[in-house]
Amino acid sequence: MTIECWCIGKTAEPYLQEGTQLYVKRLRRYMPFQWVEHPDVRPHISDPVALKRAEGLYMLDKLKPDDYLVLLDENGREYTSAELASWLQKKMNASPRRLVFLIGGAFGFSPDLYARAQEQWSLSKLTFSHQMIRLFAVEQLYRAMTILNNEPYHNG
């Protein structure tokens, strides 16, 4: 199984880029992991509804029929770090061909992406920028892997 984390557009802040890449590198020690930044369609579209629709169509075109899609969404399911590790282990055991975590743009996801997704994951009830979520998501995936491997990173 391959795990991929997709996002729309590049990370603007160097400190977020560095942190994200640090955890991407660490994750690759445990599993095939890909970090994919898809092009930003925002410069061409100013209406939020049209933007979400365009981003959604673009992402749907990139997904394969057997991909397991998880949207990082404020209304998704929240996990403790241990619960996330357990959930991730179950997904790895079930062995979907590709597990895709999708971090949307600033305005969220289109109805079509919600319909296509198997699950939604929320990192917190707090609102974070979609730029910061990138770092938080890969850190939590790394933390889950250290929990599954009984390594001392997680102090829970």
Side-chain angles (χ1 to χ4, degrees), residues 1 13-14 55 78 94 109 154:
M1 176 177 79
E13 298 294 333
E55 289 172 347
E78 291 184 29
F109 300 106
H154 179 70

Side-chain angles (χ1 to χ4, degrees), residues 100-152:
V100 177
F101 293 95
L102 177 57
I103 301 167
F107 297 105
F109 300 106
S110 69
D112 292 336
L113 275 174
Y114 282 115
R116 169 62 176 81
Q118 281 79 13
E119 295 190 43
Q120 296 172 38
W121 172 29
S122 174
L123 292 175
S124 173
K125 291 182 182 188
L126 298 171
T127 301
F128 301 107
S129 75
H130 66 287
Q131 299 280 317
M132 295 177 103
I133 289 296
R134 298 168 188 208
L135 173 58
F136 299 162
V138 292
E139 189 278 338
Q140 284 301 303
L141 292 172
Y142 171 73
R143 181 177 298 273
M145 292 307 298
T146 64
I147 291 169
L148 293 175
N149 286 279
N150 297 313
E151 295 177 359

Side-chain angles (χ1 to χ4, degrees), residues 8-10 38-48 50-59 105:
I8 298 170
K10 300 236 180 248
H38 291 278
D40 190 356
V41 297
R42 189 176 201 160
H44 310 291
I45 303 170
S46 60
D47 175 55
L51 179 62
K52 286 194 300 187
R53 185 172 191 283
E55 289 172 347
L57 290 172
Y58 177 84
M59 289 298 165

Side-chain angles (χ1 to χ4, degrees), residues 20-53:
T20 300
Q21 288 309 309
L22 170 72
Y23 287 105
V24 166
K25 182 178 177 183
R26 289 181 180 184
L27 268 168
R28 288 181 177 151
R29 290 187 293 194
Y30 298 100
M31 68 184 115
F33 182 82
Q34 295 296 317
W35 177 259
V36 183
E37 291 181 341
H38 291 278
D40 190 356
V41 297
R42 189 176 201 160
H44 310 291
I45 303 170
S46 60
D47 175 55
V49 173
L51 179 62
K52 286 194 300 187
R53 185 172 191 283

Side-chain angles (χ1 to χ4, degrees), residues 49-93:
V49 173
L51 179 62
K52 286 194 300 187
R53 185 172 191 283
E55 289 172 347
L57 290 172
Y58 177 84
M59 289 298 165
L60 288 169
D61 186 55
K62 300 298 177 195
L63 290 163
K64 297 175 182 168
D66 57 346
D67 287 342
Y68 194 92
L69 178 62
V70 178
L71 303 179
L72 275 83
D73 185 82
E74 64 187 0
N75 296 312
R77 180 174 174 195
E78 291 184 29
Y79 296 94
T80 65
S81 294
E83 289 169 341
L84 179 65
S86 177
W87 177 89
L88 189 56
Q89 183 66 66
K90 287 176 188 171
K91 292 300 169 220
M92 290 189 300
N93 291 345

